[in-house]
Amino acid sequence: MSAAGVALMLGGAGILLAASPAQAASVTFKTECIPPSISGLPPIQGETTVEITAPATAKVGDTVDVTWKTVKAASKNPDVIDLEANMVEPSGDLKVGGAQTGVVAMKGPRENPPIPKGGDMKLSTMTGKLKIEKAGDITLTPDKYVITVHQIMKTETKCAPKEAVKASATIKVEGGSGNGGNTNGGTNNGGTNNGGTNNGGTTAGGGGQTDFPGKPVDVKFDCGETVPGGITTPVTVSAKKNGGNFDLTVKTAKGAMKAPVALPKGALKPSMKIKLGGADTGMVNVTGPANAEAIAQGADVSLSEMTGTYKPGKTGKVTLSPADMSIDVTMVAGSTPLNVPCKATSTGVSLELDTVAQAGGSGSPTTTTTTGNATSGNLAETGAEDEGGIKALALVAGTVILLGGAVFTFTPWRRLRGTR
């Protein structure tokens, strides 16, 4: 799952930069690769050579295309099996530094020539999009990457730098038109913070303002064994003032991936926790409806917008950050859904609000005491107490459901008995 390749650049449509000439530069760095646990192989120490291509210049407000070409991967195909053509799919993180910081989620198609046992891994070129938000020199540096193999079963080799990596490309950015100065097209309004950025998020409040658009932040979700490789997607938290409360709208990726099998109406229902920081603490739960239309095989997969209400428990500046997510998967109407809990392993501030404490505010305090399906702070629990139950539910039908940037694999009982 903006994850719009894997990712949709939320908060406003960008303009693809095509006028500036592209630049390509390569960098080599020491790398450690962790083979799949089922292989029993030890970590691999090697070197990775990557070539990053990006425009030489850009303007604030542009959205630019960047590419990652793996000239040499640190790991080889183990001496276990010959890999057939089009079985290898790469993904990775491209660090953004200098005048602007962040991470671009990169992804390549499942394309490769046949790779013999012990042969060099041949990875397709990965692509991603970067929204230019600040003037100055922006650097692009390759970071960790994942080699996913889809032959026989889905396995992942995770590779990460073992030394400081030098920037591979630099984009020189000129000031934009003002309306493109941030992701949501906000302006400075003569020096006020309405629509500006603060601590990585969008500051909102005061001056009679009622609508507060947030800033998309890249979030990585670990969904355990149910979703190998997890999900990476930009998430945007926006708010609309409703008396002393705030109605929240949370958006994730749209149309980023393709469904390998048909998904019925009502198959996917998301929910998420929004973490409060600054003056207030706690969590706010947001939920979204299930998909209203069936999703055909090969069509785009999206999650619905999620909504909820934040009732401030404290007065002051409060930050809102995407936290853990949960997805209910129902393939047959009326059946018990498979709940997939996904823990946010990295996130950031999407929005900052000026708040006034309300009686019975839901933000503070917080506890971890569970009562039924909710916790104090009016936060519905989206995780599962019985991990074994999730795994048991997953053992139903030999099919694959693609969701965002991840694959759910359901193993037939017959095959399970064979492996045990």
Side-chain angles (χ1 to χ4, degrees):
M1 285 168 52
S2 264
V6 171
L8 171 71
M9 300 306 293
L10 300 170
I15 300 174
L16 298 182
L17 182 67
S20 175
Q23 55 169 332
S26 63
V27 62
T28 300
F29 51 93
K30 294 179 181 179
T31 310
E32 180 180 69
C33 294
I34 308 299
S37 58
I38 63 171
S39 69
L41 297 174
I44 299 167
Q45 309 298 325
E47 284 190 338
T48 301
T49 300
V50 171
E51 182 179 273
I52 301 297
T53 302
T57 61
K59 292 183 179 180
V60 172
D62 289 332
T63 297
V64 300
D65 291 319
V66 293
T67 64
W68 168 323
K69 179 181 178 181
T70 305
V71 180
K72 175 189 175 185
S75 64
K76 296 179 179 293
N77 180 25
D79 294 323
V80 176
I81 187 173
D82 294 330
L83 295 179
E84 300 173 6
N86 303 328
M87 291 292 168
V88 180
E89 182 180 34
S91 59
D93 288 346
L94 185 64
K95 283 187 176 180
V96 181
Q100 179 177 327
T101 59
V103 175
V104 178
M106 308 292 291
K107 192 171 182 64
R110 186 170 152 181
E111 296 176 357
N112 63 276
I115 304 174
K117 293 189 289 288
D120 292 337
M121 294 298 292
K122 303 296 183 181
L123 307 182
S124 63
T125 297
M126 296 186 283
T127 60
K129 296 183 184 296
L130 171 64
K131 177 76 173 183
I132 304 297
E133 299 175 354
K134 295 184 180 180
D137 289 351
I138 296 178
T139 60
L140 303 175
T141 305
D143 194 30
K144 57 187 176 181
Y145 60 98
V146 178
I147 302 172
T148 303
V149 175
H150 295 270
Q151 187 165 315
I152 301 179
M153 63 181 299
K154 181 181 177 182
T155 59
E156 292 184 339
T157 298
K158 299 181 179 181
C159 302
K162 297 301 291 181
E163 63 177 341
V165 183
K166 296 181 180 179
S168 182
T170 301
I171 305 174
K172 294 186 176 298
V173 181
E174 301 176 2
S177 61
N179 288 334
N182 61 37
T183 303
N184 293 298
T187 63
N188 286 328
N189 291 336
T192 68
N193 283 330
N194 296 339
T197 59
N198 187 358
N199 298 327
T202 301
T203 303
Q209 185 178 357
T210 58
D211 292 314
F212 308 114
K215 176 181 179 179
V217 292
D218 287 326
V219 184
K220 294 183 180 180
F221 295 100
D222 181 357
C223 305
E225 296 179 4
T226 310
V227 187
I231 298 171
T232 300
T233 176
V235 178
T236 302
V237 182
S238 299
K240 183 179 181 66
K241 198 167 185 180
N242 183 0
N245 302 332
F246 294 89
D247 294 331
L248 304 183
T249 300
V250 179
K251 297 180 181 180
T252 57
K254 276 191 178 179
M257 306 298 292
K258 304 293 183 182
V261 296
L263 300 175
K265 175 183 176 180
L268 308 176
K269 185 175 182 180
S271 61
M272 188 180 296
K273 301 175 183 179
I274 304 302
K275 183 178 181 180
L276 305 175
D280 207 351
T281 58
M283 298 279 188
V284 178
N285 195 46
V286 293
T287 59
N291 53 300
E293 302 292 337
I295 303 172
Q297 181 174 358
D300 292 337
V301 175
S302 302
L303 291 180
S304 61
E305 292 184 3
M306 291 165 276
T307 58
T309 299
Y310 166 45
K311 189 173 186 179
K314 298 288 185 180
T315 298
K317 292 188 178 296
V318 178
T319 60
L320 288 83
S321 305
D324 298 348
M325 179 173 65
S326 179
I327 304 167
D328 284 342
V329 182
T330 305
M331 293 301 292
V332 179
S335 64
T336 301
L338 166 66
N339 179 264
V340 181
C342 298
K343 181 178 178 60
T345 59
S346 67
T347 186
V349 174
S350 178
L351 181 65
E352 185 176 75
L353 298 170
D354 288 329
T355 66
V356 176
Q358 304 295 304
S362 61
S364 297
T366 58
T367 71
T368 57
T369 301
T370 302
T371 56
N373 65 347
T375 60
S376 65
N378 295 337
L379 173 63
E381 281 295 321
T382 57
E385 297 295 330
D386 183 3
E387 183 179 0
I390 290 178
K391 293 179 180 177
L393 285 171
L395 301 172
V396 288
T399 187
V400 176
I401 300 174
L402 184 62
L403 177 61
V407 175
F408 294 79
T409 305
F410 298 81
T411 307
W413 284 105
R414 182 176 62 257
R415 182 179 300 173
L416 180 66
R417 287 198 297 268
T419 60
R420 296 176 72 177

